[in-house]
Amino acid sequence: MAYGVKVLATGRYLPERVLTNFDLEKIVDTTDEWIRTRTGIETRHIAAEDEATSDMGTQAALRAMEEANVKPEEIDLILVATLSPDKIFPNTACFVQKKIGAVNASCFSIEAACSGFVFGFQIAASMIQTGLYKRALLIGAEMLSSVVNWDDRTTCVLFGDGAGAVVLAQCPESENCFVASDTGSNGEYTDILHVQSGGTADPLTVEKLQNKQNCLEMSGKEVFKIAVNSMVSSAKISLEQANLTIDDIDWIIPHQANLRIIAAVGDRLGINKDKCYINVHRYGNTSAASIPIALDELVRADKIKRGDHILFVAFGGGLTWGSTILKW
Ligand code: UT7
């Protein structure tokens, strides 16, 4: 028997500390002007020393649960999308479970880099639709400040920390919000956006640690081109699946990596600029957290109406990409 799935509520958490482009000018050889014109980013939030990814995910989750009026013991599934887990194992969702007291939840994490929230939505929604779970907490949480190389000006200016969450619940099929979704990957590009060392394929040594091989590396230009192409084609696949055109979309929430990527995707899809939600200037790229943070901002600003069509579209390391269409 198939059920419907709906979004009960959303939440977000951004750590208090704000790092501006001017602060970065003091750390690496960069300028506010370069960062703004090449990326659109002006500030990003950075987690405190005693904060971990699960702490940020927990805060976002508690806000979403409060809004949804859902108790921790009513949650039966917790998924955390992250590329910056608390530990290699146990998975970060288990730490969130402990912190919120969701004793009845099954917990696992999703490793699809910046596309993780879109992959997670597909997984959680499908599991609810088949009747396996009734109430899921889907979280995108990242502490990228712990993964970037603070000596590398080509990457350290791009990323930020934060978390976003949604509470999903089973509902009658007639109220189903999950209209379409597409995900894809290309393992030929595992080395253009990655952390070189620290896993089983290339264990860390003192020398590799000194060379910062435990940090994120990216071929920005190459990633840029593939990002635009794959986000556009994935969005088109979801639109076709939903039998909708781009004009039927009320809000597009693209992964917030770079204003120029967002603009190129918007132009190629032919969407009105006013329908494209942008907050990359405030938070930088928060990877799997970027879409749920943006969604929560839109929801809490009362900008989404019942019946609106929302398109998420993301891209990230793997390479991975995906899109989701919701009917609110
Ligand atoms: O979430 C998904 C993962 N990430 C992305 O989607 C990011 C995709 N890529 C990008 O957003 C862009 O490629 C970047 C923002 C990373 C770079 O922009 P770009 O326009 O592709 O610049 P570039 O890499 O071609 O660099 C242009 C110049 C270079 O100098 P030369 O060789 O022309 O003399 C860089 O060394 O800018 C230099 N540069 C910088 N200068 C000042 C690179 N980083 C900086 C910096 N400040 N922070």
Side-chain angles (χ1 to χ4, degrees), residues 209-235:
L209 202 53
Q210 281 161 350
N211 293 337
K212 301 277 174 77
Q213 283 174 230
N214 60 322
C215 295
L216 181 152
E217 290 168 24
M218 176 170 69
S219 309
K221 266 203 184 328
E222 213 177 334
V223 172
F224 192 113
K225 271 187 232 144
I226 309 172
V228 175
N229 290 336
S230 56
M231 285 166 92
V232 169
S233 58
S234 181

Side-chain angles (χ1 to χ4, degrees), residues 157-186:
V157 302
L158 304 174
F159 299 97
D161 300 338
V166 293
V167 179
L168 301 176
Q170 203 176 75
C171 64
E173 227 177 336
S174 57
E175 292 168 31
N176 180 46
C177 82
F178 184 51
V179 176
S181 81
D182 168 68
T183 53
S185 316
N186 188 343

Side-chain angles (χ1 to χ4, degrees), residues 24 28-35 37-41 83 113-115 144 152-159 192-193 216 218-225 227-228 231 255-261 285-288 290 314-317 319-320:
L24 281 164
V28 284
D29 179 18
T30 191
T31 59
D32 167 61
E33 210 253 333
W34 190 96
I35 303 170
T37 53
R38 299 287 178 133
T39 72
I41 301 167
L83 65 78
C114 305
S115 314
L144 299 174
D152 176 12
R153 69 173 184 172
T154 68
T155 52
C156 76
V157 302
L158 304 174
F159 299 97
I192 64 170
L193 175 51
L216 181 152
M218 176 170 69
S219 309
K221 266 203 184 328
E222 213 177 334
V223 172
F224 192 113
K225 271 187 232 144
V228 175
M231 285 166 92
H255 168 49
Q256 310 281 316
N258 182 323
L259 192 55
R260 286 158 53 216
I261 294 179
N285 181 348
T286 58
S287 185
S290 88
F315 175 84
L319 298 175
T320 57

Side-chain angles (χ1 to χ4, degrees), residues 94-262:
C94 288
F95 291 102
V96 173
Q97 174 188 34
K98 182 178 168 189
K99 287 170 186 170
I100 66 175
V103 290
N104 297 314
S106 168
C107 304
F108 65 98
S109 294
I110 294 151
E111 214 183 340
C114 305
S115 314
F117 185 79
V118 169
F119 276 64
F121 208 102
Q122 192 181 58
I123 296 166
S126 311
M127 288 174 118
I128 289 173
Q129 283 180 323
T130 57
L132 273 172
Y133 297 100
K134 285 196 168 56
R135 268 181 217 85
L137 195 48
L138 171 62
I139 300 166
E142 298 283 12
M143 193 170 143
L144 299 174
S145 59
S146 69
V147 182
V148 300
N149 176 353
W150 288 100
D151 295 331
D152 176 12
R153 69 173 184 172
T154 68
T155 52
C156 76
V157 302
L158 304 174
F159 299 97
D161 300 338
V166 293
V167 179
L168 301 176
Q170 203 176 75
C171 64
E173 227 177 336
S174 57
E175 292 168 31
N176 180 46
C177 82
F178 184 51
V179 176
S181 81
D182 168 68
T183 53
S185 316
N186 188 343
E188 291 299 324
Y189 295 108
T190 46
D191 58 351
I192 64 170
L193 175 51
H194 69 152
V195 172
Q196 172 67 40
S197 307
T200 53
D202 189 1
L204 265 185
T205 59
V206 173
E207 196 189 350
K208 288 176 191 171
L209 202 53
Q210 281 161 350
N211 293 337
K212 301 277 174 77
Q213 283 174 230
N214 60 322
C215 295
L216 181 152
E217 290 168 24
M218 176 170 69
S219 309
K221 266 203 184 328
E222 213 177 334
V223 172
F224 192 113
K225 271 187 232 144
I226 309 172
V228 175
N229 290 336
S230 56
M231 285 166 92
V232 169
S233 58
S234 181
K236 285 183 176 168
I237 291 170
S238 282
L239 283 168
E240 200 180 318
Q241 215 183 89
N243 207 12
L244 297 172
T245 71
I246 196 69
D247 296 332
D248 297 316
I249 298 297
D250 299 284
W251 282 108
I252 175 169
I253 305 183
H255 168 49
Q256 310 281 316
N258 182 323
L259 192 55
R260 286 158 53 216
I261 294 179
I262 296 172

